[in-house]
Amino acid sequence: MGEIEGTYRVLQTPGSRLGVQKTTGVSTLEPGQNLSTAMASSPAKMHERDLPIKIKMLDNTVEVLDIESKYYGQTLLTEVYKHLNLIESDYFGIEFQNIQSCWIWLEPMKPVIKQVRRPKTTMLRLAVKFFPPDPGQLQEEYTRYLFALQIKRDLAEERLTCSDNTAALLVSHLLQSEIGDFDETEDREHLKTNQYLPNQERIEGKILEFHRKHVGQTPAESDFQVLEIARKLEMYGIRFHLASDREGTKINLAVSHMGVLVFQGNTKINTFNWSKVRKLSFKRKRFLIKLHPEGPYQDTLEFLLGSRDECKNFWKICVEYHTFFRLFDQPKPKAKAVFFTRGSSFRYSGRTQKQLVDYIKDSGMKKTPYERRHSKARASTRASNTDVPKQSVPFTEGLRTPGSPASAAAPFHSVHSSATPTPVLPIFAEASPSSLDPRASYTRIPEKNTAAPAEEAGRKLMQQPGSPMLQGLPVDHPQLSSLVLKSPLGLNPTFQMNLNATGQGSSPLLSPVLSDAGGARVEEDDEMKRKRYPTDKAYFIAKEILATERTYLKDLEVITVWFRSAVIKENAMPEGLMTLLFSNIDPIYEFHRGFLKEIEQRLSLWEGKTNAHVKGDYQRIGDVMLRNMRTLKEFTSYLQKHDEVLTELEKATKRLKKLEMVYKEFELQKVCYLPLNTFLLKPIQRLMHYKLILGRLCKHYTAEHRDFADCRNALKEVTEMTSQLQHSLIRLENFQKLTELQHDLIGIDNLTAPGREFIREGCLYKLTKKGLQQRMFFLFSDMLLYTSKGVTGTNQFKIHGHLPLHGMLLIVLDPPVEESENEWAVPHCFTIYSAQKTIVVAASTRLEMGKWMEDLNMAIEMAKKSTEKSDMLLENSVCNRSNRSSDEVSLEQESEDDIHSSRSSLDRQSHHRANTTMHVCWYRNTSVSMTDHSVAVENQLSGYLLRKFKNSNGWQKLWVVFTNFCLFFYKTHQDDYPLASLPLLGYAVSSPVEADGIQKDYVFKLQFKSHVYFFRAESKYTFERWMEVIKRATSSPARSSLLLPKGEKDSHTD
């Protein structure tokens, strides 16, 4: 059979890409060496002559670099990165074609002439080597720009296969980036001279139609859009390697951040995740994957490639991808064998993604502008944009070779790509003859001490109205488009969602885990930028629509993208349910994607980012809302089916164990930051938000205002929809809460029985033989359940007892309660008498006791009027309770029944969500009613805030989402999941006092005991809105009761 020629043991990083353990790989460097010293000590005897190396950049310009004949690959890479002033260089590499016309990556640790057979005639080219799952991880705008150019190249070379619509959309964004706003004549002329796609004439009409919609979009925003669309495609970042399996079937192998992929044609048929791979090796033409043994499946897979070289090349790429995406640190040096070695010693030599991200985040370097070579946007749309993108200075330290004189001053010669034909490398997307001077390429302006004239020239260019040098928006600008990982088939969301697996068991009481360094620092000039924006209240209301729409679209993606991906990957959902679920929510999602785009464009025009002919026409939002509310009425039929969708999904999870498992595992992922079925209610709840926001706009405008009529008509349209769906929403919210509790409680099987309504959940202290013990109580329209936190290692609650409401009686006890001869004060006590048992409970405050008493009395009255008895229902729904006496339950102890009941459900689940309302109530010793939930739905808000800790100095800019009584913190609005959360039940919101030392405007303070946070808004309106929604959603005063007389009602409150 022959010996294994190369092996790579895949070191495990459990739970996440970055892992919990700081595992490292193996390197070929000597102990004590680093990359620079290794190449510095390499032989450098021959300096007879230089070799001219031609390198094609991502903008299709060709640079000629004169190098020494013994140059190592790393030195060439360093010179190219230095020339481009490229900081996030580790994502890139240089590739060339070998004799078999296969693309090979240049290895850093080998001399160039030993890798490239004919270096004088071979065209090398810069390319993206590592495609991150989320391009939002790219810290620099310049890096994202180069990634967009790579997408452009892949389209031209037919590597990135997609539908005509998607291709047209991608090209339209590339057009917007390169020539600016739509102009049909110029667009057609540009498409004639620039080939973005093979046979692009077929879809030229679609390209122009899409480009027409991008008015006001900056080049940086266009890059974001290109990456956003591309990463949803299954072929994003995929490079095929022809192979065959053991049966001889022709397949394609590829590697990505998640593992080794197997394709048949362009369809992915299998994924071997890094977490499942134990070892990768090759033996001549055979590529071997050894998996961790799982059940009856074979643990070694074998694929046959075309030749030994192809097999080794693919093996090397797998080694590099695994090290870059899965390990924390650079591989440690591997000691060389004394006599002989077996197999290849190749290992990845470079920074891992974790090291690269940490370096960019911690470096704090000042960023410099860069040029976009192809961009020649018209002055009418770009001249007024004064926001210059900030870019960092080059990262070249540690990459240059100290011992090489040429590395300090290697001359580059720019040559237009069309002037350098080569028989080896096909040229696809050539630059337009009307483009800028080839020498003014995409490179950044060099450092001050070396190129001050160029920097000055760059400034002049930017000051010229018609300058082709364009400026993008800052990375955290609110107009940047969303970056979401959206590939339903080519993606494993678990991979990205479990980055912080160690934090799953944290208490919801803990402060957010973001440190001061976790977010962007805000300088004083941000205040100046804010002052340039409109100050009209209507503008800030429109901005609230934009911010909440962004969050809403992200919430829809939890279902349409992430959950779809999970069920498709595991083939867990029946076809009929798949059709029912996604056919009802996909059209709504697509509508809101277009709606969000319209709002973004209108706000961009409102803020004066483009030279609109009549700015006044765009300083309103009513026309956009009216047009889209009328369109949204057509989707009412879809919204009316959400009741059926929610019911059928719940039935299927009970019936199908595989779907139940996928459902529960998905809820543990970071992207599912709320209970999963909550996201299915978002479309109807969003209509309620539109109604409230439009109501505020109508109240703000005078009747004579040009926007008033549109806003009033839009309000009428949405009011008509909400009136049709109001009862459905109440029913759905109740059903959603019951199913959520069904999943979170151990010991009850049929909580979602017809006719049952949820009323209140919260913490009370129950009198037992051990004294007062903390218990979670759940009040429904027919029964009262009490539970305690599970002892099985999960965060679930197990049921200790149930009390039917039929025949129940409440008595308030006057403190102190006497026990034996000792007197001890237990305030806020009351006794619950039921047909089966009697219990004594105490609330934390008199206000809490009043809430419970009010809701219990209301529920008892409802139960009296009900003709249906719930005894039979309870017998069937509550497990292992019927054989226990009243005394045993009323003075309860931890019994064997409790232990068994906690094990009877979800034994296989080792973790559970710890940020649900019930857990927050448990930790904060409070309660929440269904009315509070309904009020919280109306009080949802999103937007950028500046956050400051009590003892910190600086302010941190964060995207903040308030929903379900909780603040969720994101670095930017493009993020797919929150970095941290802060449940606000129990918190008090107020303005800072003088002792707090806050000297800024629009600051509000959140405090719970010793936990204090300050948040700063951008305007008076935004500040007042945040204060309003947090107060309304967290204060939850006792409601007025229809059952209690006024005097009695007052006696229950302070």
Side-chain angles (χ1 to χ4, degrees):
M1 294 293 291
E3 294 183 350
I4 294 287
E5 297 188 58
T7 62
Y8 176 71
R9 192 169 297 279
V10 176
L11 301 172
Q12 295 305 305
T13 54
S16 71
R17 174 179 64 78
L18 303 178
V20 178
Q21 303 168 353
K22 293 194 175 183
T23 323
T24 54
V26 182
S27 172
T28 55
L29 299 174
E30 297 285 352
Q33 275 188 320
N34 60 33
L35 204 57
S36 300
T37 56
M39 289 180 293
S41 59
S42 62
K45 295 179 182 178
M46 297 184 66
H47 298 268
E48 304 90 46
R49 56 177 183 160
D50 290 341
L51 289 174
I53 299 292
K54 293 189 287 292
I55 303 174
K56 186 179 185 183
M57 302 300 178
L58 283 162
D59 62 355
N60 283 338
T61 58
V62 175
E63 306 286 353
V64 179
L65 175 64
D66 294 328
I67 67 168
E68 296 174 7
S69 57
K70 292 295 184 180
Y71 246 19
Y72 272 68
Q74 181 60 53
T75 315
L76 179 60
L77 287 166
T78 302
E79 290 303 329
V80 172
Y81 301 150
K82 178 183 173 184
H83 174 69
L84 294 176
N85 208 354
L86 181 58
I87 295 174
E88 295 177 284
S89 55
D90 298 79
Y91 288 110
F92 299 85
I94 291 177
E95 59 181 354
F96 61 94
Q97 285 183 310
N98 61 12
I99 296 175
Q100 292 80 28
S101 297
C102 295
W103 286 102
I104 308 294
W105 290 108
L106 188 72
E107 291 185 33
M109 298 304 296
K110 283 186 179 180
V112 175
I113 59 172
K114 288 192 176 180
Q115 302 180 65
V116 185
R117 290 290 182 90
R118 301 181 181 88
K120 290 184 178 179
T121 58
T122 301
M123 178 76 75
L124 284 70
R125 69 178 187 180
L126 181 71
V128 175
K129 187 173 187 177
F130 299 113
F131 288 81
D134 180 5
Q137 294 169 341
L138 305 175
Q139 305 291 308
E140 291 231 305
E141 182 186 307
Y142 182 49
T143 310
R144 291 190 289 272
Y145 166 59
L146 294 179
F147 264 71
L149 291 180
Q150 179 67 56
I151 299 299
K152 177 182 175 181
R153 177 189 285 176
D154 289 347
L155 278 173
E157 297 181 357
E158 296 185 274
R159 278 184 169 180
L160 187 63
T161 55
C162 55
S163 66
D164 285 350
N165 274 340
T166 304
L169 187 57
L170 283 167
V171 173
S172 70
H173 284 296
L174 291 170
L175 277 177
Q176 180 71 19
S177 174
E178 293 182 7
I179 66 175
D181 288 346
F182 175 77
D183 181 297
E184 185 169 353
T185 305
E186 188 167 349
D187 279 20
R188 291 188 184 279
E189 191 64 34
H190 187 80
L191 288 172
K192 280 182 184 178
T193 56
N194 293 271
Q195 194 73 15
Y196 292 92
L197 298 165
N199 304 316
Q200 73 182 20
E201 296 78 14
R202 289 187 304 107
I203 59 171
E204 187 172 304
K206 288 184 180 179
I207 296 172
L208 298 180
E209 181 184 342
F210 283 128
H211 189 203
R212 190 191 305 270
K213 299 176 182 178
H214 303 331
V215 172
Q217 190 170 281
T218 66
E221 291 174 317
S222 298
D223 293 342
F224 268 115
Q225 293 291 347
V226 168
L227 297 180
E228 178 192 0
I229 297 162
R231 66 176 176 176
K232 293 186 288 184
L233 302 174
E234 195 161 50
M235 298 302 294
Y236 167 69
I238 297 299
R239 302 291 181 263
F240 280 158
H241 298 260
L242 297 175
S244 58
D245 59 16
R246 283 182 172 175
E247 287 74 35
T249 305
K250 296 296 181 184
I251 58 170
N252 291 311
L253 295 179
V255 64
S256 74
H257 68 279
M258 58 198 291
V260 181
L261 314 177
V262 182
F263 287 79
Q264 202 158 37
N266 288 336
T267 305
K268 186 170 66 174
I269 59 174
N270 212 339
T271 301
F272 301 107
N273 287 324
W274 295 126
S275 59
K276 297 179 182 178
V277 177
R278 187 155 57 97
K279 187 167 71 172
L280 297 172
S281 57
F282 74 96
K283 189 186 298 182
R284 297 188 181 91
K285 296 194 294 183
R286 291 186 296 144
F287 180 74
L288 306 171
I289 303 175
K290 185 162 284 191
L291 305 173
H292 292 283
E294 288 185 7
Y297 303 106
Q298 55 180 343
D299 65 345
T300 303
L301 297 155
E302 182 180 309
F303 300 95
L304 194 68
L305 278 83
S307 66
R308 177 188 176 277
D309 287 345
E310 290 178 35
C311 192
K312 184 175 183 180
N313 179 43
F314 182 62
W315 174 77
K316 286 180 178 179
I317 295 171
C318 292
V319 171
E320 292 183 312
Y321 254 83
H322 176 268
T323 308
F324 183 78
F325 285 111
R326 293 284 287 187
L327 302 189
F328 268 104
D329 305 313
Q330 286 174 297
K332 289 181 179 178
K334 176 183 177 182
K336 287 190 176 180
V338 179
F339 298 107
F340 61 89
T341 60
R342 293 176 60 187
S344 172
S345 61
F346 174 83
R347 294 294 183 267
Y348 172 69
S349 298
R351 289 181 296 193
T352 64
Q353 188 189 33
K354 172 68 165 59
Q355 289 177 312
L356 180 59
V357 170
D358 288 347
Y359 170 79
I360 300 297
K361 189 184 295 182
D362 299 338
S363 62
M365 294 188 191
K366 185 179 178 183
K367 300 180 179 181
T368 56
Y370 65 93
E371 296 182 29
R372 293 171 173 267
R373 180 179 172 275
H374 285 301
S375 291
K376 50 178 182 178
R378 293 175 284 282
S380 62
T381 60
R382 299 295 177 205
S384 62
N385 187 358
T386 57
D387 291 330
V388 180
K390 298 178 180 178
Q391 296 296 336
S392 302
V393 297
F395 173 70
T396 52
E397 291 73 26
L399 291 177
R400 298 172 185 170
T401 309
S404 173
S407 68
F412 266 97
H413 312 291
S414 296
V415 181
H416 197 281
S417 56
S418 60
T420 317
T422 170
V424 181
L425 179 71
I427 307 295
F428 288 91
E430 297 299 335
S432 166
S434 62
S435 298
L436 305 177
D437 184 342
R439 293 179 184 273
S441 62
Y442 298 102
T443 57
R444 302 159 181 249
I445 297 172
E447 299 170 69
K448 285 184 179 179
N449 58 349
T450 58
E455 205 168 327
E456 189 62 31
R459 285 198 203 97
K460 289 177 182 176
L461 270 173
M462 285 185 282
Q463 291 165 2
Q464 294 171 6
S467 170
M469 180 180 179
L470 300 179
Q471 300 86 34
L473 292 173
V475 172
D476 55 6
H477 194 282
Q479 289 303 316
L480 289 182
S481 56
S482 170
L483 277 177
V484 205
L485 188 56
K486 297 176 185 161
S487 172
L489 295 173
L491 164 73
N492 179 9
T494 310
F495 176 80
Q496 188 180 1
M497 291 306 102
N498 292 333
L499 293 181
N500 290 324
T502 54
Q504 282 185 344
S506 60
S507 163
L509 288 179
L510 295 179
S511 303
V513 295
L514 275 177
S515 66
D516 282 346
R521 286 291 169 194
V522 179
E523 305 296 338
E524 290 302 319
D525 61 345
D526 281 354
E527 292 187 17
M528 299 301 296
K529 288 180 183 176
R530 284 206 300 272
K531 289 175 183 176
R532 291 202 301 267
Y533 288 126
T535 56
D536 181 21
K537 183 178 178 180
Y539 164 75
F540 291 107
I541 296 176
K543 205 168 180 182
E544 181 184 335
I545 297 174
L546 170 64
T548 51
E549 190 72 15
R550 283 173 170 163
T551 298
Y552 170 57
L553 202 65
K554 285 285 186 185
D555 288 343
L556 290 183
E557 284 166 1
V558 173
I559 299 291
T560 61
V561 175
W562 297 93
F563 186 58
R564 189 204 304 264
S565 173
V567 295
I568 287 177
K569 180 188 172 190
E570 300 296 334
N571 195 23
M573 188 178 286
E575 189 65 33
L577 182 57
M578 283 278 289
T579 303
L580 176 65
L581 172 59
F582 294 112
S583 66
N584 278 291
I585 200 166
D586 282 346
I588 297 170
Y589 171 64
E590 289 303 323
F591 164 77
H592 283 282
R593 287 185 68 189
F595 182 30
L596 175 62
K597 185 67 182 173
E598 270 196 73
I599 300 172
E600 286 178 331
Q601 289 177 349
R602 175 54 56 89
L603 264 291
S604 179
L605 293 167
W606 198 331
E607 291 164 357
K609 290 178 184 171
T610 62
N611 281 344
H613 297 297
V614 185
K615 282 188 179 178
D617 288 347
Y618 297 108
Q619 292 183 339
R620 58 196 177 111
I621 197 68
D623 58 328
V624 176
M625 295 299 294
L626 177 59
R627 183 167 57 252
N628 283 279
M629 291 306 102
R630 284 173 174 168
T631 306
L632 192 55
K633 284 184 75 174
E634 301 170 11
F635 295 89
T636 308
S637 59
Y638 295 114
L639 298 174
Q640 289 170 339
K641 288 184 180 178
H642 279 209
D643 197 343
E644 181 187 356
V645 170
L646 210 59
T647 307
E648 290 302 318
L649 181 61
E650 178 62 18
K651 287 180 182 177
T653 53
K654 286 182 179 179
R655 189 176 72 252
L656 304 170
K657 292 298 180 186
K658 190 174 184 180
L659 179 59
E660 181 190 22
M661 193 67 167
V662 170
Y663 189 109
K664 287 166 184 170
E665 286 178 352
F666 183 76
E667 282 199 322
L668 299 180
Q669 296 186 15
K670 282 186 176 182
V671 73
C672 190
Y673 67 100
L674 299 172
L676 177 58
N677 53 15
T678 304
F679 295 101
L680 288 170
L681 303 185
K682 293 290 183 181
I684 302 180
Q685 291 172 349
R686 186 60 178 157
L687 292 178
M688 307 300 172
H689 299 158
Y690 292 145
K691 180 180 176 181
L692 293 170
I693 293 174
L694 285 166
R696 282 199 298 276
L697 269 172
C698 290
K699 190 175 179 181
H700 166 67
Y701 286 137
T702 61
E704 295 76 27
H705 195 281
R706 66 179 182 278
D707 204 25
F708 177 76
D710 285 341
C711 288
R712 184 183 57 190
N713 290 331
L715 179 59
K716 286 180 181 177
E717 297 286 350
V718 77
T719 302
E720 186 180 329
M721 285 187 281
T722 55
S723 61
Q724 294 178 25
L725 297 166
Q726 182 66 46
H727 294 295
S728 177
L729 177 61
I730 294 171
R731 188 173 60 254
L732 285 172
E733 286 178 341
N734 180 69
F735 184 77
Q736 181 276 322
K737 188 62 185 177
L738 292 177
T739 54
E740 177 190 336
L741 293 175
Q742 177 77 72
H743 296 159
D744 291 349
L745 297 179
I746 298 175
I748 188 162
D749 295 332
N750 190 25
L751 197 57
T752 56
R756 178 172 291 151
E757 295 180 16
F758 168 77
I759 298 175
R760 179 174 289 277
E761 63 182 333
C763 184
L764 292 172
Y765 288 87
K766 179 179 175 295
L767 185 62
T768 70
K769 288 181 179 179
K770 298 178 182 179
L772 287 173
Q773 299 285 322
Q774 187 179 7
R775 294 287 180 260
M776 272 296 292
F777 280 73
F778 300 90
L779 176 61
F780 303 93
S781 57
D782 60 340
M783 66 175 175
L784 177 69
L785 296 178
Y786 55 94
T787 68
S788 70
K789 203 131 184 278
V791 295
T792 59
T794 72
N795 284 312
Q796 290 172 289
F797 287 81
K798 59 180 180 179
I799 294 174
H800 281 255
H802 72 275
L803 303 173
L805 294 188
H806 187 71
M808 183 178 285
L809 180 66
L810 303 183
I811 295 181
V812 180
L813 301 180
D814 293 324
V817 176
E818 295 194 10
E819 184 179 276
S820 301
E821 298 176 356
N822 299 320
E823 232 181 46
W824 48 285
V826 183
H828 322 310
C829 275
F830 58 98
T831 304
I832 301 174
Y833 293 91
S834 75
Q836 295 179 358
K837 62 201 77 171
T838 301
I839 61 173
V840 178
V841 295
S844 58
T845 65
R846 188 165 182 79
L847 178 63
E848 275 296 304
M849 184 183 77
K851 293 177 186 178
W852 276 106
M853 293 285 293
E854 185 178 354
D855 282 343
L856 277 164
N857 278 313
M858 178 187 69
I860 292 169
E861 289 294 324
M862 289 170 59
K864 283 180 183 177
K865 295 175 183 178
S866 174
T867 56
E868 296 180 8
K869 300 293 185 291
S870 58
D871 293 343
M872 291 300 294
L873 176 65
L874 295 176
E875 288 292 328
N876 295 330
S877 65
V878 180
C879 304
N880 299 323
R881 297 293 165 195
S882 59
N883 60 342
R884 300 181 64 185
S885 70
S886 174
D887 292 337
E888 286 178 322
V889 178
S890 62
L891 296 176
E892 68 182 288
Q893 306 175 58
E894 298 294 336
S895 69
E896 287 301 314
D897 284 341
D898 299 328
I899 305 298
H900 292 315
S901 67
S902 66
R903 290 174 181 165
S904 65
S905 175
L906 300 178
D907 282 340
R908 59 188 176 274
Q909 187 169 327
S910 59
H911 296 286
H912 202 72
R913 291 174 290 112
N915 65 340
T916 57
T917 312
M918 73 164 70
H919 289 90
V920 180
C921 289
W922 174 267
Y923 286 109
R924 300 272 165 82
N925 205 1
T926 186
S927 67
V928 172
S929 70
M930 193 65 203
T931 303
D932 297 329
H933 279 283
S934 300
V935 171
V937 165
E938 295 177 0
N939 290 280
Q940 298 187 13
L941 199 57
S942 308
Y944 281 103
L945 289 175
L946 306 183
R947 187 188 67 177
K948 180 184 179 298
F949 295 108
K950 180 171 62 174
N951 298 318
S952 64
N953 294 322
W955 293 86
Q956 212 176 0
K957 187 172 185 178
L958 296 169
W959 177 258
V960 183
V961 174
F962 179 61
T963 184
N964 284 44
F965 311 102
C966 191
L967 289 179
F968 295 93
F969 300 100
Y970 302 75
K971 190 171 181 182
T972 70
H973 70 264
Q974 296 101 356
D975 293 352
D976 293 317
Y977 54 88
L979 299 170
S981 62
L982 180 64
L984 293 188
L985 287 177
Y987 267 81
V989 59
S990 63
S991 296
V993 296
E994 188 176 345
D996 293 322
I998 302 296
Q999 307 299 327
K1000 304 289 185 181
D1001 294 330
Y1002 314 134
V1003 175
F1004 61 92
K1005 175 183 177 181
L1006 289 174
Q1007 183 167 6
F1008 175 77
K1009 297 181 179 178
S1010 61
H1011 300 276
V1012 178
Y1013 304 93
F1014 299 100
F1015 292 91
R1016 183 173 154 208
E1018 66 174 344
S1019 68
K1020 182 181 178 182
Y1021 169 81
T1022 314
F1023 163 75
E1024 290 172 348
R1025 280 291 293 144
W1026 279 103
M1027 290 279 284
E1028 176 191 354
V1029 297
I1030 293 175
K1031 276 182 179 177
R1032 287 196 64 197
T1034 58
S1035 59
S1036 68
R1039 303 190 313 273
S1040 298
S1041 173
L1042 299 176
L1043 303 170
L1044 296 176
K1046 188 175 188 305
E1048 187 179 349
K1049 181 174 61 186
D1050 293 341
S1051 70
H1052 292 150
T1053 58
D1054 289 332

